[in-house]
Amino acid sequence: MPDQPLQPFSPPTALLAYLPSGFSIGIVITWVLYVVFAFWAVYTIVAIYHWLKYSHASWVAFPAIAVHLIVSFALISYALSGQAFFLSNYLP
Amino acid sequence: MKEFELEPGEHVVLQVRKHWLLFIASFLPYAILAIIPFVIPNVLTLAPPMAAYAAFFDYTTPIMRAALGVWLLVVWTSAWGSFTRYFLNVWVLTNQRIVNIKQRRYFSREVSGLFLSRVQDVTTDVTGVLYSLIGIGDIKVQTAGEEQEFVMRGIPRPEQMRDVILRYVSVGPKAPGV
């Protein structure tokens, strides 16, 4: 088998050429974000339900929920607008 | 606690969870996942044929920033879920019984109780150099006959826990079975 030079592979953006007509990268990203945030919301609601039902008497419950919501909203804000608030120093 | 009601005269002596070091260890995969997007561009630049692809990881562009934000959100939420499950798994020792609360995953919770009057033996098992140095081990509570045995793994200072259990076994009131 002859040696072949390493062939460059197509960048991920090349896949955008296969999008059906009427779809744009903006629409795809918007829907991906909708799905991710919907999953996040459901997961968070389920976890908070467990915290409140089983550990409502613990002093850890509400700080844990608050920290999760604050960090999550900062990350969501970063994904949507680039504004990460208190996480700005740690993100590019 | 909503899982069980305390009997008249019953009070909670202590609650025990897995050692926090084991919890931190379970966090490591999430930490690694979180830094992967920052490491990949640096690794690519080290391999000359792949160096050109490092430019794709430019997080100043809206698409890559959104991707990074989503990635970190998923990792963070998963890690927080791990903490939630860690915290909801607990052993509760009262002056009358031991209650073992297992939260395997969301909507899968098992609460079982064992009256101290039925305890026959409490065994601790500390295995390994690290566990011996830090004081992490397992406790096995056995009862007579074919009753179930309780095992809690990775708890801090198991010998002290065993002593506390045995103290209440010896002084506790005789109670009916579970």
mmCIF file of all heavy atoms in Angstrom, chain B residues 62-85:
data_model
loop_
_atom_site.group_PDB
_atom_site.id
_atom_site.type_symbol
_atom_site.label_atom_id
_atom_site.label_comp_id
_atom_site.label_asym_id
_atom_site.label_seq_id
_atom_site.Cartn_x
_atom_site.Cartn_y
_atom_site.Cartn_z
ATOM 1 N N PRO B 62 -19.782 34.043 17.628
ATOM 2 C CA PRO B 62 -21.053 33.712 18.318
ATOM 3 C C PRO B 62 -21.361 32.221 18.324
ATOM 4 O O PRO B 62 -21.849 31.693 19.335
ATOM 5 C CB PRO B 62 -22.096 34.498 17.520
ATOM 6 C CG PRO B 62 -21.335 35.614 16.888
ATOM 7 C CD PRO B 62 -19.962 35.086 16.595
ATOM 8 N N ILE B 63 -21.097 31.526 17.210
ATOM 9 C CA ILE B 63 -21.450 30.106 17.153
ATOM 10 C C ILE B 63 -20.617 29.294 18.146
ATOM 11 O O ILE B 63 -21.151 28.482 18.912
ATOM 12 C CB ILE B 63 -21.249 29.560 15.723
ATOM 13 C CG1 ILE B 63 -22.284 30.171 14.787
ATOM 14 C CG2 ILE B 63 -21.342 28.047 15.699
ATOM 15 C CD1 ILE B 63 -22.146 29.733 13.347
ATOM 16 N N MET B 64 -19.320 29.522 18.138
ATOM 17 C CA MET B 64 -18.457 28.755 19.041
ATOM 18 C C MET B 64 -18.698 29.144 20.494
ATOM 19 O O MET B 64 -18.596 28.309 21.388
ATOM 20 C CB MET B 64 -16.987 28.947 18.660
ATOM 21 C CG MET B 64 -16.608 28.310 17.341
ATOM 22 S SD MET B 64 -17.058 26.563 17.253
ATOM 23 C CE MET B 64 -15.952 25.852 18.462
ATOM 24 N N ARG B 65 -19.007 30.422 20.708
ATOM 25 C CA ARG B 65 -19.311 30.849 22.081
ATOM 26 C C ARG B 65 -20.585 30.165 22.570
ATOM 27 O O ARG B 65 -20.655 29.700 23.713
ATOM 28 C CB ARG B 65 -19.474 32.363 22.104
ATOM 29 C CG ARG B 65 -19.543 32.937 23.507
ATOM 30 C CD ARG B 65 -19.885 34.403 23.453
ATOM 31 N NE ARG B 65 -21.206 34.601 22.874
ATOM 32 C CZ ARG B 65 -21.533 35.558 22.009
ATOM 33 N NH1 ARG B 65 -20.636 36.422 21.612
ATOM 34 N NH2 ARG B 65 -22.771 35.659 21.538
ATOM 35 N N ALA B 66 -21.582 30.097 21.676
ATOM 36 C CA ALA B 66 -22.824 29.406 22.054
ATOM 37 C C ALA B 66 -22.551 27.927 22.326
ATOM 38 O O ALA B 66 -23.076 27.356 23.284
ATOM 39 C CB ALA B 66 -23.860 29.563 20.947
ATOM 40 N N ALA B 67 -21.716 27.317 21.477
ATOM 41 C CA ALA B 67 -21.384 25.900 21.675
ATOM 42 C C ALA B 67 -20.677 25.694 23.006
ATOM 43 O O ALA B 67 -20.988 24.749 23.747
ATOM 44 C CB ALA B 67 -20.521 25.406 20.522
ATOM 45 N N LEU B 68 -19.724 26.588 23.306
ATOM 46 C CA LEU B 68 -19.009 26.469 24.582
ATOM 47 C C LEU B 68 -19.961 26.668 25.762
ATOM 48 O O LEU B 68 -19.917 25.907 26.749
ATOM 49 C CB LEU B 68 -17.877 27.499 24.646
ATOM 50 C CG LEU B 68 -17.092 27.540 25.957
ATOM 51 C CD1 LEU B 68 -16.345 26.225 26.183
ATOM 52 C CD2 LEU B 68 -16.103 28.713 25.963
ATOM 53 N N GLY B 69 -20.836 27.650 25.644
ATOM 54 C CA GLY B 69 -21.791 27.896 26.724
ATOM 55 C C GLY B 69 -22.706 26.711 26.963
ATOM 56 O O GLY B 69 -22.958 26.325 28.111
ATOM 57 N N VAL B 70 -23.184 26.112 25.880
ATOM 58 C CA VAL B 70 -24.058 24.943 26.007
ATOM 59 C C VAL B 70 -23.307 23.772 26.608
ATOM 60 O O VAL B 70 -23.817 23.053 27.479
ATOM 61 C CB VAL B 70 -24.655 24.576 24.629
ATOM 62 C CG1 VAL B 70 -25.275 23.193 24.659
ATOM 63 C CG2 VAL B 70 -25.685 25.608 24.217
ATOM 64 N N TRP B 71 -22.091 23.572 26.132
ATOM 65 C CA TRP B 71 -21.266 22.467 26.665
ATOM 66 C C TRP B 71 -21.077 22.616 28.177
ATOM 67 O O TRP B 71 -21.274 21.671 28.949
ATOM 68 C CB TRP B 71 -19.904 22.452 25.954
ATOM 69 C CG TRP B 71 -18.948 21.431 26.477
ATOM 70 C CD1 TRP B 71 -17.990 21.612 27.436
ATOM 71 C CD2 TRP B 71 -18.851 20.047 26.094
ATOM 72 N NE1 TRP B 71 -17.305 20.452 27.663
ATOM 73 C CE2 TRP B 71 -17.808 19.477 26.860
ATOM 74 C CE3 TRP B 71 -19.546 19.249 25.183
ATOM 75 C CZ2 TRP B 71 -17.448 18.136 26.739
ATOM 76 C CZ3 TRP B 71 -19.172 17.914 25.062
ATOM 77 C CH2 TRP B 71 -18.146 17.382 25.835
ATOM 78 N N LEU B 72 -20.691 23.823 28.588
ATOM 79 C CA LEU B 72 -20.452 24.047 30.019
ATOM 80 C C LEU B 72 -21.745 23.937 30.822
ATOM 81 O O LEU B 72 -21.741 23.449 31.956
ATOM 82 C CB LEU B 72 -19.797 25.418 30.227
ATOM 83 C CG LEU B 72 -18.377 25.548 29.677
ATOM 84 C CD1 LEU B 72 -17.851 26.969 29.860
ATOM 85 C CD2 LEU B 72 -17.430 24.556 30.349
ATOM 86 N N LEU B 73 -22.849 24.358 30.224
ATOM 87 C CA LEU B 73 -24.143 24.252 30.920
ATOM 88 C C LEU B 73 -24.511 22.778 31.148
ATOM 89 O O LEU B 73 -24.956 22.409 32.248
ATOM 90 C CB LEU B 73 -25.232 24.946 30.094
ATOM 91 C CG LEU B 73 -26.641 24.918 30.700
ATOM 92 C CD1 LEU B 73 -26.689 25.758 31.967
ATOM 93 C CD2 LEU B 73 -27.669 25.405 29.688
ATOM 94 N N VAL B 74 -24.304 21.965 30.132
ATOM 95 C CA VAL B 74 -24.622 20.534 30.263
ATOM 96 C C VAL B 74 -23.719 19.887 31.319
ATOM 97 O O VAL B 74 -24.183 19.118 32.176
ATOM 98 C CB VAL B 74 -24.483 19.826 28.899
ATOM 99 C CG1 VAL B 74 -24.581 18.315 29.073
ATOM 100 C CG2 VAL B 74 -25.554 20.323 27.938
ATOM 101 N N VAL B 75 -22.425 20.208 31.265
ATOM 102 C CA VAL B 75 -21.488 19.619 32.230
ATOM 103 C C VAL B 75 -21.830 20.087 33.649
ATOM 104 O O VAL B 75 -21.867 19.273 34.589
ATOM 105 C CB VAL B 75 -20.033 19.990 31.872
ATOM 106 C CG1 VAL B 75 -19.084 19.552 32.977
ATOM 107 C CG2 VAL B 75 -19.635 19.349 30.547
ATOM 108 N N TRP B 76 -22.083 21.364 33.801
ATOM 109 C CA TRP B 76 -22.405 21.904 35.128
ATOM 110 C C TRP B 76 -23.682 21.273 35.691
ATOM 111 O O TRP B 76 -23.739 20.876 36.854
ATOM 112 C CB TRP B 76 -22.551 23.425 35.066
ATOM 113 C CG TRP B 76 -23.259 23.994 36.258
ATOM 114 C CD1 TRP B 76 -24.539 24.439 36.331
ATOM 115 C CD2 TRP B 76 -22.727 24.127 37.588
ATOM 116 N NE1 TRP B 76 -24.843 24.851 37.600
ATOM 117 C CE2 TRP B 76 -23.752 24.678 38.402
ATOM 118 C CE3 TRP B 76 -21.490 23.849 38.166
ATOM 119 C CZ2 TRP B 76 -23.575 24.935 39.749
ATOM 120 C CZ3 TRP B 76 -21.318 24.106 39.524
ATOM 121 C CH2 TRP B 76 -22.348 24.641 40.303
ATOM 122 N N THR B 77 -24.708 21.180 34.850
ATOM 123 C CA THR B 77 -25.974 20.610 35.314
ATOM 124 C C THR B 77 -25.800 19.141 35.691
ATOM 125 O O THR B 77 -26.371 18.672 36.679
ATOM 126 C CB THR B 77 -27.045 20.767 34.210
ATOM 127 O OG1 THR B 77 -27.148 22.142 33.860
ATOM 128 C CG2 THR B 77 -28.401 20.271 34.684
ATOM 129 N N SER B 78 -25.003 18.413 34.923
ATOM 130 C CA SER B 78 -24.747 17.010 35.256
ATOM 131 C C SER B 78 -24.006 16.892 36.583
ATOM 132 O O SER B 78 -24.317 16.029 37.409
ATOM 133 C CB SER B 78 -23.931 16.342 34.151
ATOM 134 O OG SER B 78 -24.579 16.460 32.915
ATOM 135 N N ALA B 79 -23.009 17.762 36.772
ATOM 136 C CA ALA B 79 -22.242 17.722 38.021
ATOM 137 C C ALA B 79 -23.135 18.064 39.209
ATOM 138 O O ALA B 79 -23.054 17.434 40.269
ATOM 139 C CB ALA B 79 -21.065 18.693 37.929
ATOM 140 N N TRP B 80 -23.989 19.039 39.031
ATOM 141 C CA TRP B 80 -24.910 19.412 40.114
ATOM 142 C C TRP B 80 -25.892 18.270 40.408
ATOM 143 O O TRP B 80 -26.235 18.011 41.561
ATOM 144 C CB TRP B 80 -25.657 20.691 39.723
ATOM 145 C CG TRP B 80 -26.534 21.217 40.808
ATOM 146 C CD1 TRP B 80 -26.148 21.791 41.988
ATOM 147 C CD2 TRP B 80 -27.960 21.199 40.827
ATOM 148 N NE1 TRP B 80 -27.254 22.137 42.717
ATOM 149 C CE2 TRP B 80 -28.373 21.793 42.033
ATOM 150 C CE3 TRP B 80 -28.935 20.759 39.925
ATOM 151 C CZ2 TRP B 80 -29.706 21.952 42.374
ATOM 152 C CZ3 TRP B 80 -30.269 20.912 40.265
ATOM 153 C CH2 TRP B 80 -30.652 21.505 41.473
ATOM 154 N N GLY B 81 -26.317 17.587 39.367
ATOM 155 C CA GLY B 81 -27.171 16.415 39.571
ATOM 156 C C GLY B 81 -26.447 15.337 40.360
ATOM 157 O O GLY B 81 -27.045 14.652 41.193
ATOM 158 N N SER B 82 -25.150 15.199 40.091
ATOM 159 C CA SER B 82 -24.347 14.225 40.841
ATOM 160 C C SER B 82 -24.293 14.608 42.319
ATOM 161 O O SER B 82 -24.406 13.751 43.202
ATOM 162 C CB SER B 82 -22.935 14.164 40.247
ATOM 163 O OG SER B 82 -22.110 13.341 41.018
ATOM 164 N N PHE B 83 -24.132 15.895 42.589
ATOM 165 C CA PHE B 83 -24.117 16.356 43.972
ATOM 166 C C PHE B 83 -25.470 16.110 44.642
ATOM 167 O O PHE B 83 -25.545 15.705 45.807
ATOM 168 C CB PHE B 83 -23.756 17.844 44.029
ATOM 169 C CG PHE B 83 -23.909 18.441 45.404
ATOM 170 C CD1 PHE B 83 -23.082 18.035 46.445
ATOM 171 C CD2 PHE B 83 -24.890 19.379 45.665
ATOM 172 C CE1 PHE B 83 -23.227 18.575 47.713
ATOM 173 C CE2 PHE B 83 -25.046 19.917 46.930
ATOM 174 C CZ PHE B 83 -24.207 19.511 47.956
ATOM 175 N N THR B 84 -26.530 16.345 43.877
ATOM 176 C CA THR B 84 -27.876 16.117 44.418
ATOM 177 C C THR B 84 -28.041 14.669 44.849
ATOM 178 O O THR B 84 -28.524 14.382 45.950
ATOM 179 C CB THR B 84 -28.930 16.484 43.361
ATOM 180 O OG1 THR B 84 -28.770 17.850 43.002
ATOM 181 C CG2 THR B 84 -30.330 16.265 43.889
ATOM 182 N N ARG B 85 -27.630 13.746 43.997
ATOM 183 C CA ARG B 85 -27.779 12.325 44.336
ATOM 184 C C ARG B 85 -26.870 11.952 45.504
ATOM 185 O O ARG B 85 -27.243 11.144 46.359
ATOM 186 C CB ARG B 85 -27.486 11.464 43.113
ATOM 187 C CG ARG B 85 -28.594 11.535 42.070
ATOM 188 C CD ARG B 85 -28.374 10.523 40.967
ATOM 189 N NE ARG B 85 -27.152 10.777 40.218
ATOM 190 C CZ ARG B 85 -27.055 11.675 39.238
ATOM 191 N NH1 ARG B 85 -28.101 12.386 38.896
ATOM 192 N NH2 ARG B 85 -25.913 11.853 38.599
#
